[in-house]
Amino acid sequence: MAKKILRINMSTLKASYESMPEKWARWAGRGLTSAITCDEVDPLCHPLGPNNKLVIAPGWVTGTPAAPSSGRTSFGGKSPLTGGIKESNAGGLSGQMIAKLGLAAIIVEGTPAQGKWYTLVVSKDGVKFEDAVNLVGKGMYEVDEILWEKYPKTAVIGIGQAGEMKLSNAGISVNDPENKPGRYAGRGGMGAVMGARGVKAMVIVDAGGPGVGIENMDLFKQGRKKLTESIQEHGLTKKGGALNSFGTAVLVNILNEAGGLPTRNFSAGQFEGAIKISGEAIAEVCEKRGGEGTMGHGCHPGCIIKCSNIYPDAEGKALTSCIEYESTWSLGANCGIDNLEFVAQMNRACNDVGVDTIEAGNAIAVAMEGGLLPFGDAEGALKTFDEIRKGTPLGRILGQGVEATAKAFGVSRVPVVKHQSMPAYEPRAVKGIGVTYATTPMGADHTAGYTICPEILGVSGKVDPLSDEGKAEASLTFQAATAFIDSTGYCLFIAFPILDIAKGWEGMAESVAGVTGMNVTGADVVPLGKEILKMERLFNERAGFTAEDDRPPEFMLNEALPPHNVKWTITNSQLDSVFAWVHDGQPA
Amino acid sequence: MVLGEVSAFSQTIGCVITLYYLLVKNGTNKTMMIHVFLYGSLARFGGKRYVAQLDVELKPDSGKMELLAQIGIPKEERGYLFINAVLCEVPGMESGSNEPLNDGDHVGIFSVDRLWPYQYRDGIRMSDGLMKALAGRDAMHHSYN
């Protein structure tokens, strides 16, 4: 059955269903949000103005029966944070339900009458525009509860107070199976784009939907089986493996031992309190307190990796989910805070007020360097979220992200690329990730370049880890493969088994081919991913981006990072070579 | 050589010998202390469940292998191993060299189930021994088991 595009016009409060145009027919997930953004959004428009759009799309396999860990939803448009194109994706309940309604994408456009807020209820019967006066000013924990009272067991997409204020660090929340916020399309300020459309929340009711059509069931089942087996066999993703037992925060102690854990606003690569905020520490608390606390939590139905956690309070009640590696780093080590209780409370505050944890922690760290608070002041850091919630001038500055905060506090150590702050891998110590930070169309992003099986990518696999040579080529292939995975609807963490286990790679491609009927094999992954990247790069060029935007922050060239005392060493020509193919090697 | 010169010469020799014993012989007889952090299931070797810290006393001129032997960690349980933030071993691949240790060194050892995605370690500082080991096979993998 052919999928439809649902177009919701917030100016007229009308919704319409459109057939999928041929030009978008082969895309889903990130590929589709980027294609629609490129075709329908003026790159020079104001991200909060009437000409930007919010595009929501599940992946190719999302909503199909038992495709493992495939519940991602992509949110796209022009980013208020970066000024370029943005795709930010989340787990939770929304992707599968949108797909089961037979929708390839939802496009939210236009602007309602001043001051009006709506809850959009999307079901098989169409779209209801409900007055959201009962939700305005509320955080996402309360919003999710209120909406489930009326629409139980539905997917809730929403924004907290930060999105209502259209702050550049506002994210979009998706509820998890326990109806808690915490699955965020956090990066790039897409919550502000949703807020600019006057949409406080969307409820997705999949009951009675047509489901997802599968063109070749045998091929789909074959691919699904291979991928499932590879996930269940790999040490990172299997039951009882590293991610299932300790979550992504298992990396805290490893990066700290390596000297690559950014500390106190990227002034050092090791944090003396790392152990206290690590995945091991989170697991210990869950074990001691019990109750609702748990590791191995799944963020959406059908996930077999289950890397999430539910962090309990002292009474064993769920306090927040999930404390990710990047979150405990940004709100912990990068602020010099080693108190896990406060990290957990700040994590909850981010989920409630609706901001990205990476940008939020980085903004606090920059403010600490600027003298707002001393590094390590956990109580003071937690109170900054009240400032955002109340919309005070300080809260609005912090909610704009790192760059605005750095300007307000006169700080020159500003860890951003394309105006988006860096995640938890110090690029002076982990050089390979630095190339991706600098060149991805999304702004500094650790999920933009996942390593995929080198033999299939056509790179040697013998890249010298200490040499700068080859890192540009490798980064491009990683970025292309990641753009493809972001379009499948699979969780990006399937990249771990499909790198090391060949049948996993085959299975991913076969399952996509089975669902779509497209002739997709492993050999098509990089070319298709490069098409997506090219769309995104060209959008950014039209928005005014140049090669100078593919650069690390200046301080990384001048300041040596302890303990290895290393500076940024990748040359500009190497960075420029990553996307030189977009214009056949000629300047843009 | 006059008597006075002989005496001075003897005193000089005596000082040299004394200094040798004070600075070299006694020095090499002293043990060295290594600060070890054990992560994951290896923490049990330090009496803990998740992370253990212990100071290990070693004879002079000891290296990584002597440290591992003293703690008693089986080869098949070892994953990433760092000496002073330099990566020396990865799961499933030994460097084949016995990296030297010095008094006050920090060593971090992870259990074999702790994996570190390739893209997040590409370019990290490694020991010469591990670089040679990786050069002999495809490096770009998350795991080498």
Side-chain angles (χ1 to χ4, degrees), chain A residues 236 242 246 250 255 257 280 287 425 429-432 446 450-451 455 461 465-466 471 496 499-500 564 566, chain B residues 37 39 49-50 85 106 110 113-117 119-120 122-126 131 138-143:
Chain A
L236 253 175
F246 297 101
V250 73
L255 266 296
E257 284 285 351
E280 286 85 350
E287 186 177 274
Y425 310 88
V430 190
K431 294 180 178 184
H446 65 292
Y450 264 42
T451 319
E455 294 81 3
L466 285 188
K471 294 215 180 323
F496 301 134
L499 167 59
D500 295 333
H564 296 303
V566 285
Chain B
F37 284 65
Y39 300 96
R49 178 161 162 71
Y50 292 104
H106 174 109
F110 291 83
D113 62 349
R114 296 296 196 277
L115 292 182
W116 186 10
Q119 66 271 13
Y120 299 143
D122 179 21
I124 210 80
R125 185 155 292 182
M126 297 192 294
M131 278 194 287
D138 291 347
M140 201 186 297
H141 284 277
H142 301 309
S143 164

Side-chain angles (χ1 to χ4, degrees), chain A residues 278-294:
Chain A
S278 65
E280 286 85 350
I282 296 167
E284 192 168 8
V285 170
C286 287
E287 186 177 274
K288 280 183 180 173
R289 293 180 177 172
E292 294 173 350
T294 187

